[in-house]
Amino acid sequence: MNNKFLPLLSFLLLIVLSSCSDSSSDEFDDANPDAVARYIETIAIVSAQDSEEDINITVNYDANDRVSSITNGTDTSLFVYNNGDLSNVSGGGDNLSIEELYQSPYDAFETGVVNQYDNNGNPVNITFYEMEYDFNTDDYIQVEYTAEVSYDSEPNPYFYTLEAAGIIDVLDQVDLNVTFNTSSPEIIQARALFPLNNISSITYRDDEGVLLYEINADYVYNDVDYPTSGTVTATAYEDDFNGGVNTYTSIYSATYTYRD
Protein backbone atom coordinates (compact mmCIF):
# COMPACT_ATOMS: atom_id res chain seq x y z
CA MET A 1 0.00 0.00 0.00
CA ASN A 2 1.32 3.41 -0.94
CA ASN A 3 2.05 5.24 2.32
CA LYS A 4 0.79 8.50 0.81
CA PHE A 5 -2.68 6.95 1.01
CA LEU A 6 -2.61 7.12 4.82
CA PRO A 7 -2.90 10.92 5.24
CA LEU A 8 -5.81 10.93 2.80
CA LEU A 9 -7.49 8.04 4.57
CA SER A 10 -7.10 9.77 7.91
CA PHE A 11 -9.75 12.20 6.74
CA LEU A 12 -11.74 9.89 4.52
CA LEU A 13 -12.38 6.81 6.61
CA LEU A 14 -15.73 6.32 8.30
CA ILE A 15 -16.47 5.46 11.93
CA VAL A 16 -17.04 1.78 12.64
CA LEU A 17 -17.71 1.23 16.35
CA SER A 18 -16.13 -1.90 17.75
CA SER A 19 -19.51 -3.19 18.90
CA CYS A 20 -21.26 -2.54 15.60
CA SER A 21 -21.30 -4.74 12.52
CA ASP A 22 -23.00 -2.24 10.19
CA SER A 23 -21.18 -1.23 7.04
CA SER A 24 -19.78 2.26 6.63
CA SER A 25 -22.62 3.11 4.28
CA ASP A 26 -25.21 1.88 6.78
CA GLU A 27 -23.76 4.01 9.55
CA PHE A 28 -23.80 7.12 7.39
CA ASP A 29 -27.38 6.40 6.33
CA ASP A 30 -28.44 5.87 9.94
CA ALA A 31 -26.95 9.22 10.96
CA ASN A 32 -28.28 11.02 7.86
CA PRO A 33 -31.46 9.27 6.68
CA ASP A 34 -32.47 12.13 4.37
CA ALA A 35 -29.05 12.74 2.81
CA VAL A 36 -28.93 13.46 -0.92
CA ALA A 37 -25.88 12.50 -2.97
CA ARG A 38 -23.74 15.42 -4.10
CA TYR A 39 -20.19 15.25 -5.42
CA ILE A 40 -17.60 17.92 -4.70
CA GLU A 41 -16.01 19.59 -7.70
CA THR A 42 -14.00 22.42 -6.12
CA ILE A 43 -13.17 23.89 -2.72
CA ALA A 44 -11.60 27.35 -2.66
CA ILE A 45 -10.08 28.42 0.67
CA VAL A 46 -9.05 32.08 0.95
CA SER A 47 -6.97 33.47 3.81
CA ALA A 48 -7.83 36.92 5.15
CA GLN A 49 -4.25 37.24 6.40
CA ASP A 50 -1.99 36.03 3.61
CA SER A 51 -2.86 35.19 0.01
CA GLU A 52 -0.01 32.66 -0.03
CA GLU A 53 -2.14 30.53 2.30
CA ASP A 54 -4.95 30.31 -0.27
CA ILE A 55 -5.83 26.79 -1.39
CA ASN A 56 -7.81 25.69 -4.44
CA ILE A 57 -8.78 22.03 -4.37
CA THR A 58 -10.19 20.35 -7.47
CA VAL A 59 -11.73 16.88 -7.61
CA ASN A 60 -11.62 15.32 -11.08
CA TYR A 61 -13.83 12.46 -12.28
CA ASP A 62 -13.43 9.92 -15.08
CA ALA A 63 -15.96 8.81 -17.69
CA ASN A 64 -17.40 6.31 -15.19
CA ASP A 65 -18.07 9.07 -12.62
CA ARG A 66 -15.27 7.84 -10.37
CA VAL A 67 -12.80 10.19 -8.71
CA SER A 68 -9.68 10.15 -10.87
CA SER A 69 -7.59 12.72 -9.00
CA ILE A 70 -7.63 15.36 -6.27
CA THR A 71 -5.27 18.30 -6.62
CA ASN A 72 -4.49 21.63 -5.00
CA GLY A 73 -2.47 22.78 -8.00
CA THR A 74 0.80 21.66 -6.42
CA ASP A 75 0.17 18.18 -5.01
CA THR A 76 -2.03 15.63 -6.74
CA SER A 77 -3.42 12.29 -5.54
CA LEU A 78 -4.17 9.88 -8.40
CA PHE A 79 -6.80 7.16 -7.95
CA VAL A 80 -6.17 3.84 -9.71
CA TYR A 81 -8.91 1.24 -10.26
CA ASN A 82 -8.73 -2.45 -11.14
CA ASN A 83 -11.84 -4.33 -12.29
CA GLY A 84 -13.95 -1.42 -11.07
CA ASP A 85 -12.48 -1.33 -7.55
CA LEU A 86 -10.03 1.13 -6.07
CA SER A 87 -6.61 -0.53 -6.07
CA ASN A 88 -4.19 2.28 -5.23
CA VAL A 89 -3.75 5.99 -4.62
CA SER A 90 -0.47 7.44 -5.82
CA GLY A 91 1.11 10.87 -5.88
CA GLY A 92 1.31 13.36 -3.04
CA GLY A 93 -0.78 15.62 -0.89
CA ASP A 94 -3.56 15.24 1.67
CA ASN A 95 -5.89 17.80 0.15
CA LEU A 96 -9.04 16.58 1.90
CA SER A 97 -7.56 16.16 5.36
CA ILE A 98 -9.32 17.92 8.21
CA GLU A 99 -6.06 19.61 9.17
CA GLU A 100 -5.77 21.04 5.65
CA LEU A 101 -9.40 22.10 5.29
CA TYR A 102 -9.63 23.70 8.74
CA GLN A 103 -6.06 25.07 8.85
CA SER A 104 -5.45 23.17 12.09
CA PRO A 105 -1.92 23.00 13.53
CA TYR A 106 -2.53 19.58 15.10
CA ASP A 107 -2.94 16.04 13.75
CA ALA A 108 -5.76 14.87 16.01
CA PHE A 109 -7.70 13.42 13.07
CA GLU A 110 -4.65 11.51 11.86
CA THR A 111 -3.16 10.13 15.07
CA GLY A 112 -5.83 10.46 17.75
CA VAL A 113 -7.69 7.93 19.87
CA VAL A 114 -11.42 8.46 20.30
CA ASN A 115 -12.58 8.71 23.92
CA GLN A 116 -16.23 9.51 23.25
CA TYR A 117 -18.79 9.50 20.42
CA ASP A 118 -22.05 11.38 20.19
CA ASN A 119 -25.41 9.72 19.51
CA ASN A 120 -24.81 9.85 15.74
CA GLY A 121 -21.43 8.13 16.00
CA ASN A 122 -19.27 11.22 15.58
CA PRO A 123 -16.03 11.42 17.60
CA VAL A 124 -16.47 14.28 20.08
CA ASN A 125 -13.48 13.76 22.37
CA ILE A 126 -10.09 12.68 21.02
CA THR A 127 -6.74 12.20 22.74
CA PHE A 128 -3.63 12.66 20.62
CA TYR A 129 0.09 13.19 21.12
CA GLU A 130 2.53 15.76 19.75
CA MET A 131 6.26 16.27 20.05
CA GLU A 132 6.96 19.67 21.62
CA TYR A 133 10.22 21.42 22.45
CA ASP A 134 10.90 21.70 26.20
CA PHE A 135 13.07 24.71 27.04
CA ASN A 136 13.86 23.26 30.47
CA THR A 137 15.39 20.07 29.08
CA ASP A 138 16.51 21.52 25.73
CA ASP A 139 14.90 18.53 24.04
CA TYR A 140 11.66 17.39 22.45
CA ILE A 141 9.14 15.57 24.62
CA GLN A 142 5.84 13.85 23.87
CA VAL A 143 2.84 15.72 25.23
CA GLU A 144 -0.80 14.68 25.46
CA TYR A 145 -3.53 16.89 24.03
CA THR A 146 -7.30 16.61 23.74
CA ALA A 147 -9.57 17.70 20.90
CA GLU A 148 -13.23 18.44 21.62
CA VAL A 149 -15.34 18.40 18.46
CA SER A 150 -18.84 19.73 17.72
CA TYR A 151 -20.98 19.15 14.64
CA ASP A 152 -23.78 20.68 12.64
CA SER A 153 -26.77 18.42 11.99
CA GLU A 154 -26.00 18.38 8.26
CA PRO A 155 -24.23 15.31 6.80
CA ASN A 156 -20.51 15.13 6.14
CA PRO A 157 -20.36 16.77 2.69
CA TYR A 158 -17.47 14.55 1.55
CA PHE A 159 -19.13 11.16 1.96
CA TYR A 160 -20.50 10.68 -1.55
CA THR A 161 -17.30 12.03 -3.10
CA LEU A 162 -15.43 9.35 -1.16
CA GLU A 163 -17.92 6.79 -2.37
CA ALA A 164 -17.16 7.87 -5.94
CA ALA A 165 -13.47 7.34 -5.12
CA GLY A 166 -14.09 3.72 -4.09
CA ILE A 167 -13.03 4.37 -0.52
CA ILE A 168 -16.40 3.56 1.04
CA ASP A 169 -16.33 0.18 -0.72
CA VAL A 170 -12.90 -0.45 0.80
CA LEU A 171 -14.36 0.23 4.24
CA ASP A 172 -17.39 -1.96 3.65
CA GLN A 173 -15.04 -4.85 2.79
CA VAL A 174 -12.46 -4.03 5.44
CA ASP A 175 -11.78 -7.67 6.34
CA LEU A 176 -11.63 -8.83 2.72
CA ASN A 177 -9.59 -6.23 0.84
CA VAL A 178 -6.00 -7.27 1.46
CA THR A 179 -4.75 -4.92 -1.27
CA PHE A 180 -5.06 -1.99 1.11
CA ASN A 181 -4.06 -3.92 4.25
CA THR A 182 -7.16 -2.49 5.91
CA SER A 183 -6.52 -4.53 9.05
CA SER A 184 -3.41 -2.44 9.80
CA PRO A 185 -3.50 -0.44 13.06
CA GLU A 186 -3.22 2.85 11.15
CA ILE A 187 -6.30 2.13 9.04
CA ILE A 188 -8.34 0.81 11.96
CA GLN A 189 -7.45 3.96 13.90
CA ALA A 190 -8.35 6.16 10.96
CA ARG A 191 -11.73 4.46 10.62
CA ALA A 192 -12.62 5.49 14.15
CA LEU A 193 -11.88 9.16 13.50
CA PHE A 194 -14.06 9.96 10.51
CA PRO A 195 -17.09 12.22 11.20
CA LEU A 196 -20.56 11.40 9.91
CA ASN A 197 -21.80 14.99 10.20
CA ASN A 198 -20.17 18.28 9.27
CA ILE A 199 -17.70 19.66 11.81
CA SER A 200 -18.59 23.07 13.25
CA SER A 201 -15.86 23.50 15.89
CA ILE A 202 -12.70 21.94 17.31
CA THR A 203 -11.20 22.94 20.67
CA TYR A 204 -7.70 21.80 21.60
CA ARG A 205 -6.49 21.56 25.21
CA ASP A 206 -3.34 20.33 26.91
CA ASP A 207 -3.24 17.56 29.52
CA GLU A 208 -4.16 20.07 32.25
CA GLY A 209 -7.19 21.33 30.36
CA VAL A 210 -5.59 24.62 29.34
CA LEU A 211 -7.05 26.04 26.13
CA LEU A 212 -4.53 26.00 23.27
CA TYR A 213 -6.41 26.51 20.03
CA GLU A 214 -9.98 26.95 18.80
CA ILE A 215 -11.48 26.50 15.36
CA ASN A 216 -15.05 27.62 14.63
CA ALA A 217 -16.75 27.12 11.28
CA ASP A 218 -19.95 28.85 10.19
CA TYR A 219 -21.53 27.48 6.99
CA VAL A 220 -24.18 28.54 4.52
CA TYR A 221 -26.06 25.44 3.33
CA ASN A 222 -28.09 24.89 0.18
CA ASP A 223 -31.54 23.32 0.01
CA VAL A 224 -30.11 19.78 0.25
CA ASP A 225 -27.90 20.53 3.28
CA TYR A 226 -24.54 20.87 1.55
CA PRO A 227 -22.28 23.84 2.35
CA THR A 228 -21.91 26.37 -0.43
CA SER A 229 -19.71 28.70 1.59
CA GLY A 230 -18.28 29.03 5.05
CA THR A 231 -16.08 31.06 7.34
CA VAL A 232 -13.47 29.40 9.55
CA THR A 233 -12.07 31.38 12.48
CA ALA A 234 -8.97 29.96 14.17
CA THR A 235 -7.64 31.35 17.46
CA ALA A 236 -4.34 30.36 19.06
CA TYR A 237 -3.67 30.94 22.77
CA GLU A 238 -0.06 31.30 23.89
CA ASP A 239 1.39 32.07 27.32
CA ASP A 240 3.57 35.15 27.54
CA PHE A 241 6.53 35.67 29.85
CA ASN A 242 4.46 37.77 32.26
CA GLY A 243 1.97 35.05 33.09
CA GLY A 244 -0.66 36.32 30.68
CA VAL A 245 -2.10 34.82 27.51
CA ASN A 246 -1.68 36.19 24.00
CA THR A 247 -4.29 35.40 21.35
CA TYR A 248 -3.76 35.23 17.60
CA THR A 249 -6.76 34.97 15.28
CA SER A 250 -6.83 33.89 11.64
CA ILE A 251 -9.87 33.90 9.37
CA TYR A 252 -10.45 31.81 6.25
CA SER A 253 -13.37 31.71 3.85
CA ALA A 254 -14.35 28.63 1.86
CA THR A 255 -16.48 28.21 -1.24
CA TYR A 256 -17.77 24.84 -2.47
CA THR A 257 -19.04 23.75 -5.87
CA TYR A 258 -20.59 20.40 -6.80
CA ARG A 259 -21.05 18.40 -9.98
CA ASP A 260 -24.31 18.87 -11.84
Side-chain angles (χ1 to χ4, degrees):
M1 177 178 174
N2 191 314
N3 61 8
K4 292 186 181 296
F5 194 36
L6 291 176
L8 182 64
L9 278 179
S10 69
F11 174 75
L12 303 184
L13 297 185
L14 192 63
I15 291 171
V16 178
L17 300 178
S18 60
S19 61
C20 180
S21 60
D22 286 350
S23 70
S24 301
S25 302
D26 288 340
E27 291 190 356
F28 178 82
D29 291 342
D30 289 344
N32 304 283
D34 299 320
V36 177
R38 291 292 184 271
Y39 303 91
I40 292 173
E41 191 168 63
T42 64
I43 306 172
I45 301 173
V46 177
S47 168
Q49 299 72 233
D50 185 353
S51 61
E52 292 187 0
E53 296 180 331
D54 294 354
I55 303 169
N56 290 288
I57 298 170
T58 301
V59 182
N60 297 303
Y61 298 82
D62 63 18
N64 295 314
D65 295 325
R66 302 174 302 193
V67 173
S68 58
S69 66
I70 302 175
T71 181
N72 63 6
T74 302
D75 297 315
T76 300
S77 297
L78 302 174
F79 291 71
V80 180
Y81 301 89
N82 183 27
N83 295 324
D85 296 324
L86 182 65
S87 60
N88 193 23
V89 177
S90 62
D94 53 352
N95 298 312
L96 289 186
S97 73
I98 287 179
E99 283 72 26
E100 179 84 355
L101 293 171
Y102 287 83
Q103 297 298 297
S104 170
Y106 301 114
D107 295 332
F109 280 87
E110 291 186 14
T111 63
V113 176
V114 180
N115 302 315
Q116 182 182 354
Y117 295 93
D118 66 13
N119 291 335
N120 273 4
N122 295 298
V124 295
N125 188 285
I126 302 167
T127 295
F128 64 102
Y129 299 90
E130 298 272 338
M131 298 302 296
E132 298 286 351
Y133 182 75
D134 187 333
F135 289 95
N136 295 322
T137 63
D138 192 29
D139 199 1
Y140 284 89
I141 60 173
Q142 180 175 271
V143 294
E144 178 182 302
Y145 291 152
T146 300
E148 301 163 356
V149 191
S150 299
Y151 300 85
D152 286 343
S153 60
E154 286 77 8
N156 185 327
Y158 307 97
F159 179 84
Y160 289 106
T161 303
L162 312 184
E163 189 173 58
I167 291 174
I168 300 303
D169 284 342
V170 171
L171 298 183
D172 288 348
Q173 303 175 48
V174 65
D175 294 325
L176 302 177
N177 195 320
V178 296
T179 303
F180 284 100
N181 190 22
T182 48
S183 62
S184 71
E186 294 87 353
I187 300 302
I188 293 172
Q189 180 185 43
R191 290 176 64 183
L193 289 165
F194 186 82
L196 300 172
N197 294 103
N198 199 18
I199 293 174
S200 59
S201 70
I202 309 173
T203 300
Y204 296 99
R205 300 182 185 275
D206 67 14
D207 58 352
E208 296 181 349
V210 175
L211 181 62
L212 300 173
Y213 202 90
E214 286 183 305
I215 299 172
N216 290 283
D218 184 21
Y219 295 100
V220 175
Y221 292 96
N222 61 19
D223 59 353
V224 289
D225 293 334
Y226 280 79
T228 56
S229 63
T231 300
V232 176
T233 303
T235 304
Y237 299 85
E238 296 182 2
D239 293 337
D240 62 24
F241 293 105
N242 298 317
V245 177
N246 295 321
T247 61
Y248 305 91
T249 299
S250 301
I251 299 174
Y252 303 86
S253 62
T255 304
Y256 302 78
T257 65
Y258 303 88
R259 298 188 77 195
D260 295 334

